[in-house]
């Protein structure tokens, strides 16, 4: 799938994460801001990366601002932002869940 527009999902509230997805030439790059990046940064990036790959997105730039979100929240926000970015939010990819 190809990113058609910039999309955002999530908030900057405690226990949430804000995901912004924009177009990229190739590959998935993840820019992470988090107070717990030293402990959980690699896990957060892994959840975002694998979720995008499961959705068939191979080229995207992701900016994530984490406020202590659990993996299930990270995955849900990534799916929401990705579907908005590829303009398929009216047909959810249930198999990714």
């Amino acid at each position: 799938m190809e990113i058609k527009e910039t999309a955002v999902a999530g908030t900057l509230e405690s226990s949430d994460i804000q995901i912004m997805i924009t177009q990229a030439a190739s590959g998935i790059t993840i820019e992470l801001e988090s107070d717990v990046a030293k402990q959980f940064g690699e896990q957060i990036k892994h959840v975002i990366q694998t979720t995008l790959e499961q959705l068939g997105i191979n080229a995207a730039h992701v900016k994530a601002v984490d406020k202590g979100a659990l993996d299930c929240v990270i995955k849900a926000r990534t799916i929401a932002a990705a579907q908005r970015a590829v303009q398929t939010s009216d047909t959810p990819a249930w198999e990714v869940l």
Side-chain angles (χ1 to χ4, degrees):
M1 294 187 156
E2 181 183 329
I3 303 295
K4 297 177 182 172
E5 65 182 12
T6 299
V8 178
T11 67
L12 297 176
E13 298 294 320
S14 181
S15 301
D16 203 353
I17 188 169
Q18 185 177 67
I19 303 283
M20 179 188 301
I21 299 178
T22 58
Q23 292 180 336
S26 64
I28 297 173
T29 58
I30 301 171
E31 179 184 336
L32 176 65
E33 286 181 34
S34 175
D35 292 337
V36 294
K38 285 187 180 183
Q39 295 93 352
F40 302 109
E42 290 304 313
Q43 176 63 19
I44 294 168
K45 289 179 182 180
H46 175 73
V47 171
I48 295 169
Q49 177 92 26
T50 56
T51 303
L52 290 175
E53 289 172 355
Q54 289 173 343
L55 288 167
I57 296 173
N58 300 315
H61 177 74
V62 179
K63 181 177 181 189
V65 181
D66 174 58
K67 297 294 182 178
L70 298 174
D71 285 358
C72 57
V73 175
I74 297 167
K75 186 171 185 174
R77 297 301 192 197
T78 303
I79 291 169
Q83 289 186 328
R84 290 173 184 166
V86 297
Q87 298 175 341
T88 61
S89 56
D90 57 335
T91 55
W94 297 112
E95 65 277 1
V96 177
L97 300 175

